[in-house]
C-alpha cells in the first residue's frame, strides 16, 4: 500500500466522489483519500478504479446496508486513532446512500467528523432542469410497488417546492405516469448520465415524458425533477365573504378578519372593514 504523505487527524472524513467524470474529484478529496488509514466503500471495485485514477492504493472495507450493523462498531473503534474516509460509489455519501448512523455514532463517541463536499446528482440535476430551485425536496427512490408509490407521492403533492427523485431506466415510465396521476401534469425534467459523455436533460410535462420513455427505457443513472404546484388562484370577494361570515359566528370582527386574512392571504384591514359591514356595526 502507498503510505500517506502526511498524517490526517483521527476521525471520520465524508468524501464526495465523482458521479461520472473523474475530473470532478476535488484536489482536497484526492488528498484525503491518499492519506486515509482506511476507506469505507460501497463497492471495492468502484473505489479501486477511483484510487487508480489518483495514483493511490489504500486499505478499503465494504460498508453498505447489508453489513453496516456489523462493520460500524469496528469503524467507530478505529476512529479513535485513525482517519476513516467514507465514500459512496458516486456522489455525496449519505444522499440516498447508507452512512447517517455512522456519522451519528461517530459524534456520540466524541470523534471528529469532517465533510469534503463535491458532486451530488440531485443538486446537479436541479441546475440542468430549468425549474425553480429556491425550495426543493429530495425524495430519493420511490417505492417499487404501485400502492406504496402512490401513497408516497400523495404525501408531497401539496408541498410548494420542486421535487427531486432518483430512478432507474426500467422503472422510469411507470414512475413518470404515477407522478402525473398523483401530482397533475406538471412540468418536469428527466436528467441522465450527468457529467458523462451522453449527459442529457429532457424537459416536458410528466405525461409527455411518460409517453416518451414508455417506448424505450433509457440507460444510465436518472434523476427526475418535478416543478412545484401552481399557486392557488386568489380568493374572490364571494370566497372572502363566505369565510368571514363563518368566522363571525365564532369570533369578534377583528379576530375574524385576522383568521381569514391568514387563511386566504388577503389584506387584514380590508377584511376588517368588510366584517364590520357584514355585522352591520359602526366602524371604530
Amino acid at each position: 500500500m502507498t503510505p500517506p504523505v502526511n498524517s490526517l487527524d483521527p476521525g471520520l472524513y465524508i468524501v464526495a466522489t465523482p458521479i461520472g467524470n473523474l475530473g470532478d474529484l476535488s484536489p482536497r478529496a484526492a488528498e484525503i483519500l491518499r492519506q486515509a488509514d482506511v476507506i469505507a466503500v460501497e463497492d471495492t471495485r468502484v473505489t479501486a478504479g477511483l484510487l487508480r485514477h489518483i495514483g493511490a492504493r489504500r486499505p478499503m472495507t465494504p460498508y453498505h446496508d447489508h453489513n453496516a450493523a456489523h462493520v460500524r462498531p469496528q469503524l467507530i473503534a478505529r476512529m479513535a486513532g485513525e482517519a476513516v474516509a467514507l465514500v459512496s460509489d458516486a456522489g455525496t455519501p449519505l444522499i440516498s446512500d447508507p452512512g447517517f448512523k455512522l456519522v451519528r455514532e461517530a459524534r456520540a463517541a466524541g470523534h471528529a467528523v469532517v465533510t469534503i463536499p463535491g458532486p451530488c446528482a440531485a443538486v446537479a440535476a436541479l441546475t440542468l432542469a430549468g425549474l425553480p430551485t429556491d425550495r426543493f425536496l429530495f425524495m430519493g427512490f420511490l417505492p417499487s410497488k404501485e400502492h406504496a408509490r402512490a401513497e408516497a407521492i400523495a404525501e408531497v403533492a401539496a408541498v410548494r417546492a420542486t421535487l427531486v427523485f432518483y430512478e432507474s431506466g426500467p422503472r422510469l415510465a411507470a414512475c413518470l405516469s404515477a407522478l402525473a396521476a398523483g401530482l397533475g401534469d406538471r412540468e418536469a425534467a428527466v436528467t441522465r448520465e450527468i457529467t458523462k459523455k451522453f449527459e442529457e436533460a429532457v424537459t416536458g410535462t410528466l405525461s409527455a415524458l411518460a409517453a416518451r420513455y414508455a417506448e424505450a427505457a433509457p440507460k444510465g443513472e436518472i434523476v427526475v425533477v418535478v416543478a412545484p404546484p401552481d399557486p392557488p388562484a386568489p380568493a374572490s370577494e364571494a370566497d372572502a365573504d363566505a369565510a368571514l361570515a363563518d368566522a363571525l359566528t365564532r369570533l369578534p370582527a377583528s379576530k375574524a378578519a385576522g383568521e381569514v386574512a391568514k387563511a386566504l392571504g388577503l389584506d387584514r384591514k380590508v377584511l376588517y372593514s368588510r366584517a364590520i359591514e357584514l355585522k352591520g356595526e359602526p366602524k371604530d
Side-chain angles (χ1 to χ4, degrees):
M1 297 293 180
T2 305
V5 176
N6 298 301
S7 177
L8 292 172
D9 291 333
L12 175 62
Y13 294 79
I14 306 162
V15 184
T17 58
I19 56 178
N21 192 318
L22 294 180
D24 292 337
L25 185 70
S26 74
R28 181 178 175 223
E31 282 306 305
I32 295 294
L33 294 179
R34 290 189 184 101
Q35 297 178 40
D37 293 295
V38 63
I39 305 174
V41 306
E42 282 189 85
D43 188 324
T44 56
R45 296 166 298 180
V46 173
T47 303
L50 180 63
L51 293 177
R52 284 194 298 271
H53 175 72
I54 62 174
R57 294 181 64 196
R58 304 303 307 139
M60 293 182 285
T61 187
Y63 182 76
H64 45 67
D65 283 333
H66 302 295
N67 73 350
H70 172 69
V71 175
R72 189 162 54 248
Q74 302 171 25
L75 293 175
I76 297 296
R78 295 188 68 167
M79 291 174 202
E82 296 180 310
V84 177
L86 173 68
V87 301
S88 64
D89 284 350
T92 301
L94 283 71
I95 307 302
S96 200
D97 287 313
F100 83 91
K101 291 181 180 179
L102 183 64
V103 172
R104 183 174 61 192
E105 293 186 20
R107 290 196 178 282
H111 302 315
V113 178
V114 180
T115 187
I116 297 84
C120 174
V123 174
L126 281 165
T127 68
L128 293 170
L131 296 172
T133 57
D134 54 330
R135 296 181 67 195
F136 62 89
L137 175 62
F138 175 65
M139 293 291 295
F141 286 91
L142 286 169
S144 57
K145 294 186 177 180
E146 184 176 349
H147 180 70
R149 182 171 57 203
E151 286 187 334
I153 293 170
E155 289 178 359
V156 297
V159 174
R160 303 201 60 76
T162 295
L163 305 176
V164 183
F165 304 88
Y166 285 169
E167 196 48 272
S168 65
R171 301 191 339 166
L172 179 60
C175 170
L176 293 167
S177 294
L179 288 169
L183 303 177
D185 205 15
R186 300 186 194 177
E187 290 295 314
V190 173
T191 65
R192 54 182 293 274
E193 296 291 83
I194 298 173
T195 77
K196 299 179 183 178
K197 181 178 180 180
F198 297 106
E199 174 183 284
E200 68 174 6
V202 180
T203 60
T205 63
L206 284 167
S207 63
L209 291 169
R212 174 190 178 114
Y213 291 108
E215 298 177 359
K219 296 179 180 180
E221 297 175 347
I222 297 164
V223 185
V224 178
V225 184
V226 183
D230 292 329
S236 65
E237 289 185 10
D239 293 331
D241 280 356
L244 279 172
D246 175 71
L248 288 168
T249 64
R250 300 175 280 103
L251 301 167
S254 61
K255 291 187 176 180
E259 178 183 283
V260 175
K262 183 177 181 180
L264 300 183
L266 299 175
D267 185 270
R268 184 184 178 282
K269 291 183 179 179
V270 173
L271 290 170
Y272 176 68
S273 296
R274 181 57 178 156
I276 295 298
E277 292 176 5
L278 291 175
K279 291 191 70 172
E281 297 179 356
K283 297 181 180 179
D284 293 340

